[in-house]
Amino acid sequence: MIRIALRMLLGDRAKYLSLVLGLGFAVLLITQQGSIFLGLMLRATGPLQNISQPDLWVTDPNIQWISETRALEDADLNRVRSVPGVAWAEPFFSLRATAELPGGKFRSVALTGISRSTMVGRPPLITAGRLEDLKVADAVLVEESSLPKLGNPKIGDTLKLNDRRAIIVGYCRAKAGFDSPAVMYTTYENAINFVPLGRNTLTYILVGVKDGVDVRRVQAAINALPDLAALTPDEMRMKTVSFIMRETGIGINFGITVLLGLIVGLVVSATVFYQFTLDNLRNFAVLKAMGARKRTLLAMILVQALVVGVIGFGVGVGAAGAFSIVSQRPGSELATYFPWQLLIGSFIAVLLCISSGSLLSLIRVLRLEPAIVFK
Amino acid sequence: MSSSEASAGPAIRVRDVTKTFGQGAAAVPALRGVSLEIDPGQLVMLVGPSGCGKTTLVSIISGVLDADSGEVSVFGTRWSDLTPDERTARRGEVVGFVFQQFNLIPTLTIEENVAVPLIIRGESRAVAARRAREVLASVGLDGRASARPAQLSGGMQQRVAIARALVGDPALLVCDEPTANLDARTGQSAMDLIHAASRGRDARGRPRCVIVVTHDARIFHYADRIEEMEDGRLKAEPSHFVQEERKWVPHYENGGDEGGAGARTGAAAEKEQAG
């Protein structure tokens, strides 16, 4: 009977295609918008992903997300270093500077300054040049995908950073932030020359905890110090994500699109599938008259719905995947992230669509009087 | 089966059956206390004007509709003794249907359409397909097994429907206006098949009963017995018109369309020989 159900479904090509395309479009909307949303969230926490060494990030207690900080006093570095359980604490600089481009244009640069001695906070991968060359005065590493934004400068070229000369000594690979500025690395000492801040110059203190010491205990000890807050990388990530969700409207905007996708899927699958069932009502009645039990007819409808759902899901995810692959090209500003959880989520959405869509059909077929075959 | 009746005696027994559609002022009585018995091996025609209750009666006899009151038993089983699921299963075993509109599933091939009743019963696809091909051959459609219903003429489709009704060797064949959508010669061809089926036996070797609901006087001569209905009741005996029409046996040239209706193999031939 399952084969007959499939033949009934696939034989009506117009409705079958309408169902598959409707569901596919809904899945595309849900998955693609979901992947862009997750991609943006991932990008927003990019600076955090670049740095794996610290157990704690120390900053101002009122920080809301990673890109908006209030500088700490230099003395805070020593206060943190003196907390029991702290293995090391290094200054970390992360602020914006303005790079002047050939032709007079300028570009915002996320400038990261790392400890000259320990290089804690260094970029994940150096693709050209050497990390040690950063110790040269005014030296900077440029993140690869930022090169086109800066006019594709070569190693050894100089450019103006906040009206000061910067020498490009190499390229690196690292993740940009939420608003995808150009990214450069330099030493902490160089950074405070490029971006003078006055008395307070520390944007973050990166902290490593001694082996065997509970990070939470050290965190509590630092939090007990006045005007300092210690956050684990996960806490920092959550603070950033929740700030963007709350303050930028991204969450609600993407949520609306995902909801629209779900509604489109529900409406399309429910109406087309119900119409498909109505068109086949006489056939179902004939089957019932010939001895097909209710559970057989239920199984037929559920199989039809499931097949349409799975194929629609495949079409939608395939299209979203193609979109994602295109967005992964070097230099692309599209941010997509396709975790398996997103696929599970959109498959659940499809199941919701087809189960709601087939519910009406099931009710109609269950109430079907086989006597209609004589009408 | 909670109730059995003696195997001897009528195959179909209908006692004082009533059925009303709608309620209150809109209530329309379709059957007003109908009683009927059909012996094994009989081809009975139910005739009468539109709306007289023929289709309602045949729906109740075949177990696709519940009576409001009264009792219907088919080959020893009272429909009212069965649960809905048991009734559905029993119907699949005992009753074959031929409809006015053919009711073939358009997306299935002819062979698949004919195999459906066996697949519903749980037969394997291979067994069902083999049996379907045999029955298709017996109705003269062995070369069209892979065609779709839309590719066949009305007469061919009706023969497919007859093949589908017979593939499970039912004890009762119920035909609702089987010739209404067919021209005279093709209708005769279909009736030849139905008449031949009435001389056959079911899977358990019992003589098969056939009930034909019809308006078509040209096929009255195929009937072993005609019951005429009027206003929800069976007449004591058919009207003079029906009796006269029954005597009339139409003649067609040999080599007619799809089924070779001109070959007088059915009741017409028997009557011609007798006459």
Side-chain angles (χ1 to χ4, degrees):
Chain A
M1 293 308 287
I2 298 305
R3 190 166 184 264
I4 291 172
L6 294 179
R7 296 292 300 273
M8 285 166 71
L9 173 71
L10 302 177
D12 191 347
R13 286 188 189 163
K15 287 209 172 54
Y16 168 68
L17 285 177
S18 304
L19 274 166
V20 166
L21 292 179
L23 280 169
F25 182 66
V27 171
L28 173 63
L29 272 180
I30 292 170
T31 313
Q32 188 248 15
Q33 291 295 304
S35 73
I36 291 178
F37 172 73
L38 292 175
L40 282 174
M41 291 301 109
L42 198 65
R43 176 178 281 181
T45 58
L48 279 162
Q49 297 163 48
N50 290 332
I51 302 162
S52 59
Q53 302 95 330
D55 297 308
L56 292 169
W57 290 59
V58 178
T59 183
D60 187 277
N62 295 310
I63 186 175
Q64 298 200 69
W65 70 303
I66 190 165
S67 293
E68 281 182 4
T69 57
R70 184 159 61 196
L72 306 174
E73 294 174 22
D74 292 349
D76 290 333
L77 183 59
N78 289 328
R79 291 165 64 202
V80 170
R81 280 177 172 158
S82 65
V83 169
V86 169
W88 51 262
E90 295 294 341
F92 186 75
F93 184 96
S94 175
L95 274 178
R96 297 299 166 97
T98 302
E100 198 170 307
L101 307 181
K105 291 183 178 175
F106 52 87
R107 185 84 195 211
S108 177
V109 172
L111 186 65
T112 301
I114 59 176
S115 166
R116 177 190 172 89
S117 53
T118 62
M119 296 288 182
V120 166
R122 61 183 171 270
L125 184 67
I126 307 296
T127 55
R130 297 184 314 153
L131 187 63
E132 296 74 31
D133 290 344
L134 277 185
K135 293 178 179 176
V136 174
D138 302 333
V140 293
L141 289 169
V142 179
E143 201 282 322
E144 270 186 344
S145 66
S146 305
L147 289 169
K149 297 172 186 170
L150 299 170
N152 293 309
K154 304 274 184 299
I155 293 174
D157 285 357
T158 61
L159 49 78
K160 279 188 173 176
L161 206 55
N162 279 359
D163 217 24
R164 292 177 65 90
R165 188 187 70 132
I167 306 168
I168 297 169
V169 296
Y171 303 144
C172 62
R173 201 170 287 167
K175 290 181 175 163
F178 179 66
D179 51 352
S180 90
V183 173
M184 285 187 192
Y185 278 81
T186 187
T187 59
Y188 178 77
E189 290 75 13
N190 283 338
I192 58 178
N193 285 329
F194 287 128
V195 189
L197 288 171
R199 198 159 54 94
N200 301 331
T201 56
L202 272 169
T203 43
Y204 291 101
I205 299 168
L206 304 182
V207 173
V209 172
K210 287 178 181 168
D211 288 344
V213 175
D214 183 9
V215 173
R216 291 287 172 196
R217 268 185 53 207
V218 176
Q219 183 183 24
I222 294 172
N223 284 338
L225 297 174
D227 300 327
L228 289 180
L231 301 167
T232 64
D234 278 345
E235 288 169 347
M236 196 71 170
R237 195 172 296 123
M238 285 313 298
K239 234 178 184 355
T240 298
V241 167
S242 63
F243 173 82
I244 289 171
M245 293 273 283
R246 195 176 60 245
E247 299 291 330
T248 64
I250 279 181
I252 191 130
N253 285 313
F254 278 93
I256 286 170
T257 312
V258 168
L259 187 66
L260 277 177
L262 194 61
I263 291 171
V264 166
L266 277 172
V267 170
V268 168
S269 62
T271 52
V272 179
F273 198 77
Y274 186 59
Q275 188 58 47
F276 169 78
T277 306
L278 287 186
D279 290 349
N280 280 288
L281 212 53
R282 198 168 187 86
N283 294 331
F284 283 119
V286 169
L287 294 176
K288 208 168 184 176
M290 290 193 301
R293 297 181 190 200
K294 279 182 181 175
R295 62 170 178 264
T296 305
L297 300 180
L298 287 185
M300 289 176 76
I301 288 177
L302 288 177
V303 162
Q304 288 172 337
L306 195 64
V307 165
V308 163
V310 168
I311 294 175
F313 174 74
V315 167
V317 165
F323 182 87
S324 177
I325 288 168
V326 169
S327 75
Q328 299 297 322
R329 285 179 310 171
S332 170
E333 287 299 322
L334 286 171
T336 57
Y337 178 46
F338 235 103
W340 61 267
Q341 292 92 337
L342 180 63
L343 298 182
I344 297 288
S346 52
F347 188 66
I348 289 170
V350 164
L351 289 181
L352 183 67
C353 288
I354 57 170
S355 54
S356 310
S358 57
L359 189 63
L360 291 173
S361 302
L362 288 174
I363 292 169
R364 188 66 193 257
V365 169
L366 284 180
R367 291 181 178 169
L368 184 64
E369 277 286 347
I372 71 161
V373 292
F374 286 117
K375 289 180 182 165
Chain B
M1 211 180 305
S2 58
S3 169
S4 278
E5 297 180 11
S7 56
I12 314 283
R13 184 169 284 161
V14 179
R15 280 189 189 154
D16 204 21
V17 164
T18 66
K19 181 71 182 177
T20 300
F21 294 106
Q23 288 181 329
V28 178
L31 296 178
R32 303 166 190 258
V34 172
S35 295
L36 173 70
E37 289 185 348
I38 300 175
D39 290 331
Q42 270 197 322
L43 190 160
V44 174
M45 285 193 184
L46 279 177
V47 303
S50 293
C52 68
K54 305 185 295 290
T55 299
T56 304
L57 178 58
V58 88
S59 298
I60 290 172
I61 290 174
S62 58
V64 294
L65 189 67
D66 290 330
D68 291 341
S69 65
E71 193 179 293
V72 176
S73 69
V74 173
F75 286 89
T77 304
R78 271 202 306 263
W79 288 127
S80 56
D81 289 343
L82 305 179
T83 64
D85 262 0
E86 287 171 342
R87 190 185 310 174
T88 302
R90 178 77 177 152
R91 197 167 57 227
E93 291 165 12
V94 173
V95 188
F97 293 94
V98 177
F99 307 105
Q100 178 180 350
Q101 306 290 341
F102 319 136
N103 286 338
L104 301 174
I105 298 175
T107 52
L108 302 185
T109 65
I110 298 312
E111 182 184 299
E112 288 167 338
N113 264 289
V114 174
V116 163
L118 297 179
I119 292 170
I120 289 173
R121 283 190 200 175
E123 294 285 358
S124 71
R125 262 174 56 202
V127 169
R130 191 176 62 238
R131 174 75 183 130
R133 283 194 295 273
E134 288 169 9
V135 181
L136 277 172
S138 74
V139 299
L141 286 173
D142 42 343
R144 309 302 298 268
S146 56
R148 302 288 164 117
Q151 295 172 302
L152 302 185
S153 67
M156 286 178 169
Q157 288 189 47
Q158 191 60 297
R159 277 192 279 150
V160 174
I162 292 168
R164 181 178 65 182
L166 294 176
V167 74
D169 293 321
L172 170 62
L173 182 63
V174 173
C175 309
D176 182 39
E177 302 280 7
T179 59
N181 285 339
L182 305 177
D183 62 56
R185 196 184 311 169
T186 314
Q188 293 289 332
S189 166
M191 276 311 300
D192 281 342
L193 292 171
I194 290 169
H195 182 265
S198 75
R199 299 300 177 248
R201 290 175 178 268
D202 76 349
R204 290 164 60 180
R206 296 173 295 196
R208 180 177 292 128
C209 286
V210 178
I211 303 175
V212 178
V213 172
T214 187
H215 280 103
D216 189 354
R218 294 170 302 188
I219 64 168
F220 284 179
H221 60 275
Y222 284 98
D224 296 319
R225 185 173 131 206
I226 294 184
E227 294 288 344
E228 188 173 8
M229 290 190 72
E230 190 175 60
D231 199 21
R233 293 189 179 90
L234 283 174
K235 286 185 168 182
E237 60 179 42
S239 62
H240 178 71
F241 166 77
V242 170
Q243 290 181 31
E244 286 303 309
E245 287 290 335
R246 192 180 174 195
K247 292 175 188 165
W248 177 66
V249 180
H251 288 265
Y252 299 99
E253 293 296 322
N254 264 338
D257 84 330
E258 311 103 353
R264 316 300 291 144
T265 55
E270 288 174 14
K271 288 200 175 182
E272 280 170 5
Q273 284 168 2

